[in-house]
Amino acid sequence: MAQYYTDLALSHSQLLEIRDEFIKEARKGLRGEKSTCLMAPTMVDILPDGDEIGEYYAIDIGGTNFRSIHATLSDKKGEVVNVEMEDNAIPEEYFSCHADQLFDLLASSLLDFAKRHGRHSEDRQLPIGFCFSFPCTHTAIGEAIMVKLTKKFENDGLVGQDPAKGLQRALDRQKANFRVAALINDSVGTLAGGCYVDADTKIGVILGTGTNACYVEEARNISSLAGKNGQGQQRPLMAINTEWGNFDASSLPSTDIDRELDADTPNAGNHHFEKMVSGMYLGEVARRAILKLAEEAELFGLEVPPQLREPWALTTPALAKIDEDASWLLSSTAQVLSETLGLPASLCTHTACLRVKQVCNLVARRSAALVAACLAGLLKQIGRDGSSTRMQPTTIAVDGGLFEHYQAYRGYLRTNLDQLLGRQVSAMVKIVQIRDASSMGAAYLAAAIDEDT
Ligand code: ADP
């Protein structure tokens, strides 16, 4: 039993090794070599700095909803006067219709939204940001080729096509005076969202159902750009989409639980980092560990409660509730076990609850430690790890339900980063939560592009 505890806990030296292997993978990706981290150039070579002013629109399409955004940016640095957002569920038939119809839906909704909020300029084509969180190869800041369909989408006319052009054609059909100026994913949106409110932002991180990170890299380090527009590259910096969810290296911990979980997922063999880190998986990792304790150490008595064998029965919010349980005799843990796994109160002894809480804590801490190790890697890559002569203040912007709703997790991330960077350097690194970052980031980016042209 103790084995599971030792396997899930990561030592400082392991984390340093993971940090270094992450840097190696990242650099391979930047050179365009085979790497578990794609390190995709986003072509976003301009970012907001909080000085943008005016009214801007964006559209953000996720897995089940799409959102229209109208933001009025203040003349006070980094401040927003007003934000309006409208979420619409994507009707079922739009997951399989032709892409043109899907884009028509987005365009008409945005136009209708714009007529109700703020202004819709008749005389000037307003740049808009388009947050489109699907795998794409970017060829310019507002231009990309969609690589593959994910989530529930099965539409013809998307793969191999440019989603920005598709939306632009639909806007033109609607006679909407908008120009799709930026096509980004949610991690770039988080970076841009962070940059607007805090110009020291260099990294944007998603910690929600999935995980990803985007950061500001020097263009001269991105040799994979050569032959694209690398030669003609004018600007010194570019946002890189790490796609770190797929990061893998020999130093990454891989317990029996991780291997078994991976084998049972549709994308087995891929996304090892994400499966140890993100909100989609943490509850399931913990359930499998608790099941092993029940089978091998009779945690709930001689019989293993059958509900414990139900895959995905323990969600990450439930794990968080157990980990943060400060109630007398862990009554809250017993309640979660009863509500989510249907365990009768008689089986939820104080000892059993204590063990379950320890497991949940280890799984969450391991996730935060892994994220901190990779963040330390990115900070090192951009010279913000204290190794350069003058450490500059640096901000990491984070969005996603795991970070937003799980307070203890935020603490684990901070502590691990402090340990990896050393307190003095770490004091210069802020980790801030940016709510609705991908949507807001798309609007801020449209503003930054507008001011630049
Ligand atoms: P998405 O990533 O799906 O776009 P969110 O950023 O809202 O959406 O993240 C949702 C994820 O956040 C959920 O899948 C869940 O794993 C995690 N989450 C939500 N609430 C909590 C909570 N209270 N504690 C821990 N994790 C949570």
Side-chain angles (χ1 to χ4, degrees), residues 248-269:
D248 201 5
S250 58
S251 57
L252 262 198
S254 185
T255 66
D256 290 350
I257 297 161
D258 298 309
R259 284 187 288 274
E260 287 162 15
L261 184 150
D262 178 55
D264 289 346
T265 51
N267 60 346

Side-chain angles (χ1 to χ4, degrees), residues 39-60:
M39 307 300 282
T42 62
M43 301 295 158
V44 173
D45 55 3
I46 175 170
L47 283 161
D49 62 5
D51 287 332
E52 295 75 13
I53 304 170
E55 291 183 56
Y56 289 93
Y57 290 90
I59 195 149
D60 183 352

Side-chain angles (χ1 to χ4, degrees), residues 62-63 151 186 206-211 278-283 315-321 324 399-407 409 438:
K151 306 173 191 174
D186 52 0
I206 299 290
L207 284 171
T209 305
T211 184
S278 81
M280 174 153 177
Y281 299 100
L282 295 189
T315 63
T316 299
L319 167 145
K321 211 165 170 192
E324 291 180 329
D399 191 19
L402 179 65
F403 189 80
E404 183 179 349
H405 302 300
Y406 191 175
Q407 194 185 347
Y409 186 93
S438 53

Side-chain angles (χ1 to χ4, degrees), residues 45-117:
D45 55 3
I46 175 170
L47 283 161
D49 62 5
D51 287 332
E52 295 75 13
I53 304 170
E55 291 183 56
Y56 289 93
Y57 290 90
I59 195 149
D60 183 352
I61 179 164
T64 49
N65 289 312
F66 66 94
R67 169 181 283 180
S68 303
I69 302 106
H70 172 238
T72 309
L73 311 184
S74 157
D75 55 2
K76 288 206 192 92
K77 193 173 178 72
E79 284 188 24
V80 181
V81 181
N82 196 30
V83 179
E84 280 119 0
M85 293 189 187
E86 186 172 274
D87 287 338
N88 288 291
I90 302 168
E92 210 48 47
E93 62 272 25
Y94 282 86
F95 289 104
S96 53
C97 65
H98 189 271
D100 286 347
Q101 282 170 276
L102 180 63
F103 289 127
D104 278 335
L105 173 72
L106 302 185
S108 61
S109 302
L110 181 67
L111 183 59
D112 179 52
F113 171 83
K115 284 178 177 163
R116 282 181 282 118
H117 302 272

Side-chain angles (χ1 to χ4, degrees), residues 191 198-204 215-216 375 378-380 382-386 388 390-397 414 417 421 425-432:
L191 175 69
D198 180 341
D200 292 327
T201 304
K202 299 291 169 220
I203 301 175
Y215 75 106
V216 181
L375 283 176
L378 285 182
L379 289 166
K380 191 168 185 183
I382 60 173
R384 303 286 182 119
D385 66 331
S388 68
R390 204 173 134 260
M391 176 67 192
Q392 292 166 275
T394 304
T395 299
I396 299 168
R414 184 75 254 179
L417 202 61
L421 296 176
V425 172
S426 197
M428 302 285 279
V429 179
K430 278 198 273 181
I431 307 177
V432 299

Side-chain angles (χ1 to χ4, degrees), residues 195-444:
C195 287
Y196 183 78
V197 294
D198 180 341
D200 292 327
T201 304
K202 299 291 169 220
I203 301 175
V205 180
I206 299 290
L207 284 171
T209 305
T211 184
N212 194 11
C214 173
Y215 75 106
V216 181
E217 179 59 274
E218 288 184 46
R220 66 190 165 100
N221 290 337
I222 316 169
S223 38
S224 64
L225 267 180
K228 292 186 183 162
N229 76 343
Q231 312 300 347
Q233 179 71 33
Q234 296 298 309
R235 296 184 198 267
L237 300 168
M238 181 176 287
I240 291 289
N241 169 19
T242 64
E243 290 292 343
W244 78 9
N246 195 46
F247 168 51
D248 201 5
S250 58
S251 57
L252 262 198
S254 185
T255 66
D256 290 350
I257 297 161
D258 298 309
R259 284 187 288 274
E260 287 162 15
L261 184 150
D262 178 55
D264 289 346
T265 51
N267 60 346
N270 292 299
H271 282 245
H272 283 305
F273 182 72
E274 184 159 76
K275 287 172 188 169
M276 291 177 211
V277 162
S278 81
M280 174 153 177
Y281 299 100
L282 295 189
E284 176 61 6
V285 174
R287 183 196 66 85
R288 285 170 183 259
I290 297 163
L291 177 60
K292 289 225 186 279
L293 293 181
E295 286 172 338
E296 295 167 23
E298 297 174 3
L299 186 63
F300 298 105
L302 290 175
E303 303 266 317
V304 175
Q307 301 92 324
L308 202 48
R309 297 192 188 279
E310 195 61 46
W312 309 101
L314 189 71
T315 63
T316 299
L319 167 145
K321 211 165 170 192
I322 293 172
D323 181 38
E324 291 180 329
D325 183 6
S327 63
W328 174 246
L329 292 177
L330 302 181
S331 58
S332 179
T333 297
Q335 194 186 342
V336 175
L337 289 177
S338 140
E339 283 170 7
T340 62
L341 299 176
L343 298 190
S346 57
L347 293 185
C348 300
T349 61
H350 183 247
T351 312
C353 287
L354 199 61
R355 291 271 144 74
V356 166
K357 186 169 154 69
Q358 283 169 336
V359 167
C360 291
N361 180 261
L362 280 167
V363 170
R365 277 180 191 275
R366 185 179 73 158
S367 159
L370 291 172
V371 172
C374 292
L375 283 176
L378 285 182
L379 289 166
K380 191 168 185 183
Q381 171 67 14
I382 60 173
R384 303 286 182 119
D385 66 331
S387 53
S388 68
T389 39
R390 204 173 134 260
M391 176 67 192
Q392 292 166 275
T394 304
T395 299
I396 299 168
V398 189
D399 191 19
L402 179 65
F403 189 80
E404 183 179 349
H405 302 300
Y406 191 175
Q407 194 185 347
Y409 186 93
R410 297 201 288 273
Y412 307 147
L413 186 57
R414 184 75 254 179
T415 310
N416 275 285
L417 202 61
D418 289 350
Q419 283 165 1
L420 283 161
L421 296 176
R423 279 208 168 267
Q424 237 176 338
V425 172
S426 197
M428 302 285 279
V429 179
K430 278 198 273 181
I431 307 177
V432 299
Q433 197 219 316
I434 306 282
R435 196 169 289 139
D436 297 319
S438 53
S439 316
M440 293 305 296
Y444 300 146

